[in-house]
Amino acid sequence: MKVRKWWKRMLVLDLLLAGLLFLHTYQEQEESLQASAGYDQVNREQTEAGTPAGKSRSGGKMVALTFDDGPDPRYTEKLLDGLKERGVKATFFVTGANASKYPEIIKRIQEEGHLIGNHTYHHIQLTAANGEQFRNEIISTNEVIRGITGEDTEYIRPPYGSWNKKYEEELNMFPVLWSIDPRDWCSDDADCIVRNTVSKVKEGDIILMHDQYQSSVTAALEIVDRLQKEGYIFVTVEELLLD
Ligand code: NI
């Protein structure tokens, strides 16, 4: 009888320990999920560093449109036309590969007062690369951009939001994530992209879009029209984060 009780007690203890271990692992997973989905948080913190968050000097509610993966010979200039008509400044996170193919579009982006940022050379997931690849992807893209614009860029949007803080100081790059992702790349329904954005937007938001689709261009300009009516001012991420 005594032996049996002892086993029972061990079994209860084991189950208790397993339970605690499970809870602990579960919490850790939750935390890392929150961290990886925490673009919003990162951007909030970045925004809060400026005072007051998301307010322009003129008191308007600031918001930033960002366009990744370009420039694109079919759509980027249509987008630039529309932004110009509306007096809007945006941020273009370009890949080194596309920038070197379409330098004249990069030049136009710069001349019209938009901000140009780095989106790696080959659109790679940086955290999957080794240190040398990581540096090369960023440095080579910076060189292409500087070769065209004569200016350095300090802003990077890491593809997939995957970034390693370790290289920030060494490369003197400031990662810019996003707080609104209308997933424009997976829908050609411009109205749906507009609704997804306009229903969520708050001052200080950074909106992630891609200038590789007609629907994204249509949606971006419609978003501008609607939000300008609500008193929003479109600025570059630099103005938004450092104002
Ligand atoms: Ni991208």
Side-chain angles (χ1 to χ4, degrees):
M1 276 309 265
K2 254 189 173 179
V3 174
R4 252 197 206 167
K5 261 191 186 167
W6 183 77
W7 271 109
K8 265 189 190 169
R9 216 170 282 161
M10 283 303 282
L11 193 69
V12 170
L13 265 174
D14 270 359
L15 280 172
L16 205 69
L17 272 171
L20 280 172
L21 204 68
F22 172 78
L23 264 177
H24 185 70
T25 323
Y26 177 75
Q27 268 176 347
E28 265 183 347
Q29 271 176 352
E30 276 283 282
E31 275 165 26
S32 80
L33 268 176
Q34 280 170 4
S36 65
Y39 308 138
D40 193 45
Q41 257 170 317
V42 173
N43 281 320
R44 293 269 141 242
E45 279 165 24
Q46 289 174 348
T47 307
E48 279 158 15
T51 47
K55 275 265 195 284
S56 76
R57 286 190 195 94
S58 59
K61 298 177 283 186
M62 294 202 291
V63 67
L65 270 178
T66 63
F67 298 95
D68 288 12
D69 301 358
D72 183 285
R74 298 158 300 171
Y75 302 116
T76 305
E77 296 214 75
K78 287 189 193 174
L79 176 63
L80 289 170
D81 292 341
L83 296 176
K84 196 178 186 180
E85 273 171 39
R86 292 162 176 80
V88 162
K89 302 295 178 230
T91 305
F92 291 81
F93 290 101
V94 301
T95 64
N98 285 337
S100 62
K101 264 193 249 170
Y102 310 109
E104 66 294 343
I105 307 181
I106 295 289
K107 198 86 192 124
R108 182 173 166 198
I109 294 173
Q110 179 197 27
E111 279 164 6
E112 297 185 2
H114 305 288
L115 183 70
I116 297 170
N118 185 321
H119 196 48
T120 74
Y121 201 95
H122 298 102
H123 201 277
I124 66 156
Q125 185 178 345
L126 287 166
T127 48
N130 64 36
E132 199 191 337
Q133 287 171 313
F134 194 110
R135 291 183 187 90
N136 282 345
E137 282 287 324
I138 294 169
I139 294 169
S140 59
T141 305
N142 281 350
E143 283 171 356
V144 170
I145 296 171
R146 195 192 313 115
I148 303 166
T149 64
E151 284 171 17
D152 286 319
T153 180
E154 301 162 52
Y155 299 95
I156 178 159
R157 166 151 299 148
Y160 320 106
S162 110
W163 178 245
N164 190 336
K165 261 184 120 39
K166 188 167 100 178
Y167 300 101
E168 238 163 77
E169 257 181 65
E170 177 194 327
L171 297 168
N172 192 29
M173 295 303 286
F174 187 75
V176 177
L177 300 176
W178 57 88
S179 53
I180 292 195
D181 178 4
R183 295 167 69 81
D184 61 325
W185 48 271
C186 73
S187 167
D188 57 7
D189 180 350
D191 289 338
C192 176
I193 302 168
V194 172
R195 277 197 307 276
N196 277 344
T197 308
V198 171
S199 63
K200 291 180 199 145
V201 79
K202 311 170 291 303
E203 62 180 315
D205 269 331
I206 296 177
I207 302 165
L208 166 67
M209 298 190 85
H210 301 82
D211 48 336
Q212 283 84 62
Y213 311 99
Q214 179 56 51
S215 50
S216 295
V217 174
T218 308
L221 299 177
E222 178 67 22
I223 288 166
V224 169
D225 289 340
R226 295 228 200 154
L227 294 182
Q228 279 185 333
K229 280 189 198 135
E230 291 178 28
Y232 281 93
I233 294 173
F234 287 85
V235 296
T236 65
V237 294
E238 184 167 59
E239 287 170 89
L240 187 77
L241 301 172
L242 307 176
D243 190 64

